[in-house]
Amino acid sequence: MRRIMRGLGIDMNTAAGAVMVSTALITCYNLGYSTIAGLIDRYYSTSVRINSEDTLFRDFFIWLSEEQAADLNLSRILNAKKVAGGPANAGDGDGADHMNEEYFRGRERPRGKQVYRVHYLPAAGSRYFLHYRGRKIRIIMEEVKEGLTMHGMPQRRIVWLRSYGRDPAVLKELLEEVLRKSNARDQGKTIVFHANMSPHGMPPSWERALSRPNRSMETVVLEMEQKELIIRDIEEYTLPATAKWYANRGLPYRRGYLLYGPPGTGKTSLSMALAGLFNLEVYALSLSAGSLTDDTLAMLFAGLPSRCIVLLEDVDASSVKRTPDPPIDLSSSPSPPAHPLLRSPRSVTKANVSFSGLLNAIDGAASREGRILIMTTNHRERLDPALIRPGRVDLQISFKYASRDVIETLFMNLYNVDMGDREALRIPEGFPSVDEISELAKEFGRVLPEGVFTPAEIQGLLLMHKKDPVAAVGAAGEWAREKRAEKGAEEGAEEGGKVEVNGVIPGQNKGVIEGGESEEISLPNGVEEKP
């Protein structure tokens, strides 16, 4: 090296001194820059912290991917994610691509395999500037190191929004815009949340699962008096003056409903339609989840918003009971299965929620007020009376097998299509008119026996002939005979449905109102008086 430097005419001592001085200058610059930047960040900047457990975190990154794509492309550290293609799914994260207006009408429907695209978001540790209304906003993504998932990934993330200056107005304006865009995006949609049971001692939380267009109540096949009763009850409950009325009388501001009946009769459909009608979010929870305990259930109920629908589906299928199962006599029990992979009935995993824990979460002292609880079950007789007593369940709606009116309504709903639908679905020429569809619906109702099939079964038959209502009527007779042969002796199914208010079926000449007083009412035809 000395020979090379001498050949170039460079003095070794001078070069060493220059390197040392340069290193010192660079070190001083870095120290000075970090010190000055730290002082500016501490004393001349405003910051907003958003936790990944808050729904605003998701809304912010959706807004970022849609509104600030150009700035995002300048970042050198990004997270890449494979998502379904289409502009409607840009950052939505809940599979809403197929709900796009053009896609829904069939005009942009891709053929063949689903097309995917790459979705970019800032990665943890990335720092870059965002230009917003003439101001620079620094975005810093961090990850919480404790509480790792089973894949070794951090459970929580934090994003910092930092603006230079002592006025946080620009950050507040940005987040207000994010919220406005989120509200506009969710307009006309029902948002469904499910419980996220975080591992390693992390508290449980509600996680957005999906959004879907609001379902019209007209598409719910249910006896009219039942449908109108629950709509009127929720409408009165959600009035602003109702909360004050409850408080003045010392009553807990809660409302509970039980939807019971055979599977496929529309219990979940009614719950979703009610959520769309009253613009309420749905928080769905399964009591059969093995990781659910009394404490986590209480925390989930405490984390509910004041106006929402809590949906507990198939409560009869859970193992939550007032009394434990009788002890098993091991001496008289059969020998275990020979194969090690076969499990005995005693090894079935059960939920860890106790009956008292469920009741405390529903209407305990710490239970959230203002929410609406809807429980569904296929077998009401299996439920403990304490769970569905008045005060916990205020209204019970019975779902039965399809009556003749319901059968005709299903037919009309499916084949009542407008011109746009006819073009999108490529319905052949000669499709019956509205008057002809009405006559076919009556014929369809005469062919199918009432009180035998569920609406889901009848809808399955209609979907097999969704472009040919005449063929659906022609195939109904043979289909009914085959289904009845499969059902066996279920031909004598119960007719009609009963509405119960606070566990009481209103009589023909008297009814029960909330205060317990009786008043003269006229019940619809087919509703019996409970002796």
Side-chain angles (χ1 to χ4, degrees):
M1 183 177 293
R2 286 196 296 269
R3 286 196 298 269
I4 293 174
M5 296 181 70
R6 281 198 300 269
L8 296 175
I10 300 176
D11 182 64
M12 184 68 178
N13 295 329
T14 303
V19 170
M20 293 176 65
V21 171
S22 300
T23 302
L25 290 175
I26 292 174
T27 302
C28 291
Y29 172 79
N30 290 334
L31 290 174
Y33 176 82
S34 59
T35 301
I36 295 173
L39 292 174
I40 292 176
D41 289 343
R42 184 172 182 178
Y43 296 105
Y44 194 71
S45 67
T46 55
S47 302
V48 174
R49 177 177 182 252
I50 308 175
N51 198 305
S52 61
E53 296 177 350
D54 195 293
T55 55
L56 185 62
F57 185 92
R58 171 188 174 277
D59 294 335
F60 171 74
F61 280 107
I62 293 176
W63 174 86
L64 190 66
S65 64
E66 293 177 349
E67 306 293 332
Q68 304 291 331
D71 287 341
L72 194 62
N73 291 337
L74 298 178
S75 178
R76 294 183 296 130
I77 306 176
L78 296 171
N79 265 340
K81 182 180 179 182
K82 177 182 175 182
V83 297
N89 198 40
D92 200 17
D94 56 6
D97 173 61
H98 65 285
M99 298 304 181
N100 179 267
E101 183 71 17
E102 297 298 316
Y103 181 88
F104 188 75
R105 292 181 180 178
R107 298 173 186 172
E108 299 293 334
R109 183 175 183 177
R111 292 182 176 272
K113 188 177 179 180
Q114 171 69 59
V115 178
Y116 293 90
R117 65 183 181 86
V118 181
H119 182 209
Y120 296 101
L121 283 178
S126 63
R127 304 185 181 196
Y128 68 97
F129 287 95
L130 168 69
H131 295 272
Y132 180 76
R133 297 187 179 182
R135 300 282 296 274
K136 281 189 175 183
I137 297 176
R138 192 177 185 183
I139 299 180
I140 305 173
M141 175 76 82
E142 297 178 355
E143 287 184 341
V144 179
K145 298 301 181 183
E146 64 271 12
L148 301 183
T149 64
M150 61 185 302
H151 301 290
M153 297 297 291
Q155 183 68 21
R156 291 192 299 118
R157 290 175 294 170
I158 296 173
V159 62
W160 289 91
L161 306 182
R162 182 166 294 165
S163 172
Y164 293 99
R166 303 187 67 85
D167 187 4
V170 65
L171 298 179
K172 294 180 179 179
E173 291 175 5
L174 185 150
L175 294 180
E176 290 292 338
E177 180 178 335
V178 168
L179 199 56
R180 283 195 302 270
K181 293 291 181 69
S182 175
N183 292 334
R185 191 185 307 111
D186 293 337
Q187 190 68 29
K189 294 183 179 180
T190 301
I191 313 301
V192 180
F193 293 81
H194 69 82
N196 179 24
M197 310 305 295
S198 304
H200 299 283
M202 301 278 297
S205 60
W206 293 103
E207 182 178 277
R208 177 166 169 155
L210 56 91
S211 64
R212 61 180 62 176
N214 290 340
R215 178 165 183 168
S216 172
M217 287 296 297
E218 297 178 357
T219 64
V220 178
V221 286
L222 185 65
E223 299 298 336
M224 187 57 64
E225 65 271 15
Q226 295 179 309
K227 190 186 300 185
E228 291 178 352
L229 180 60
I230 192 171
I231 290 176
R232 286 198 307 267
D233 193 81
I234 296 180
E235 186 175 29
E236 181 179 349
Y237 175 75
T238 54
L239 289 175
T242 304
K244 184 177 180 181
W245 188 91
Y246 273 77
N248 291 339
R249 287 153 181 80
L251 300 174
Y253 184 49
R254 290 186 287 264
R255 204 70 177 159
Y257 304 92
L258 177 68
L259 312 182
Y260 66 96
T265 50
K267 299 183 290 295
T268 303
S269 299
L270 176 62
S271 303
M272 300 303 297
L274 290 171
L277 179 63
F278 294 99
N279 295 317
L280 298 173
E281 296 173 340
V282 176
Y283 290 77
L285 179 63
S286 173
L287 297 176
S288 300
S291 55
L292 195 64
T293 63
D294 288 350
D295 292 337
T296 55
L297 182 64
M299 284 188 284
L300 287 172
F301 268 75
L304 292 170
S306 58
R307 292 184 74 255
C308 68
I309 289 179
V310 185
L311 181 60
L312 300 181
E313 292 194 278
D314 299 326
V315 290
D316 63 290
S318 69
S319 58
V320 180
K321 299 178 182 179
R322 183 197 296 262
T323 56
D325 293 332
I328 299 175
D329 186 1
L330 299 179
S331 61
S332 60
S333 60
S335 57
H339 198 282
L341 296 181
L342 297 178
R343 303 169 62 189
S344 65
R346 299 189 304 275
S347 64
V348 178
T349 303
K350 293 186 177 182
N352 297 317
V353 178
S354 65
F355 188 74
S356 61
L358 174 60
L359 299 185
N360 287 332
I362 291 177
D363 60 358
S367 179
R368 174 77 67 179
E369 294 195 353
R371 55 98 182 120
I372 296 173
L373 175 66
I374 297 181
M375 294 187 290
T376 68
T377 178
N378 298 334
H379 304 280
R380 186 181 62 161
E381 66 277 2
R382 297 181 184 176
L383 301 181
D384 193 293
L387 179 62
I388 58 177
R389 68 158 175 81
R392 293 192 177 109
V393 171
D394 304 287
L395 186 65
Q396 301 187 19
I397 299 293
S398 171
F399 286 74
K400 298 296 182 180
Y401 291 97
S403 63
R404 180 162 287 109
D405 290 340
V406 170
I407 295 173
E408 295 179 6
T409 302
L410 284 168
F411 193 94
M412 292 294 296
N413 287 344
L414 188 67
Y415 294 112
N416 187 15
V417 294
D418 56 21
M419 294 303 299
D421 291 333
R422 295 191 183 195
E423 294 176 2
L425 296 175
R426 300 178 183 178
I427 294 179
E429 295 292 334
F431 191 81
S433 63
V434 176
D435 294 336
E436 292 172 333
I437 291 294
S438 180
E439 293 299 323
L440 288 171
K442 294 178 181 178
E443 178 63 24
F444 187 73
R446 286 191 292 267
V447 173
L448 288 183
E450 62 177 343
V452 177
F453 305 110
T454 66
E457 291 174 325
I458 297 173
Q459 193 173 48
L461 166 64
L462 296 175
L463 288 175
M464 294 172 59
H465 308 279
K466 62 177 178 289
K467 298 182 181 179
D468 193 349
V470 177
V473 175
E478 181 63 26
W479 177 87
R481 285 189 290 272
E482 294 178 357
K483 282 292 183 180
R484 294 183 75 164
E486 295 175 4
K487 287 177 175 289
E490 293 184 5
E491 187 173 331
E494 297 179 275
E495 299 179 0
K498 299 182 180 62
V499 179
E500 299 186 10
V501 182
N502 286 339
V504 179
I505 303 177
Q508 186 68 29
N509 298 316
K510 60 183 179 180
V512 177
I513 59 178
E514 191 167 30
E517 301 175 359
S518 297
E519 63 174 354
E520 297 296 320
I521 62 173
S522 177
L523 292 180
N525 294 332
V527 179
E528 304 173 1
E529 180 178 1
K530 186 173 181 179

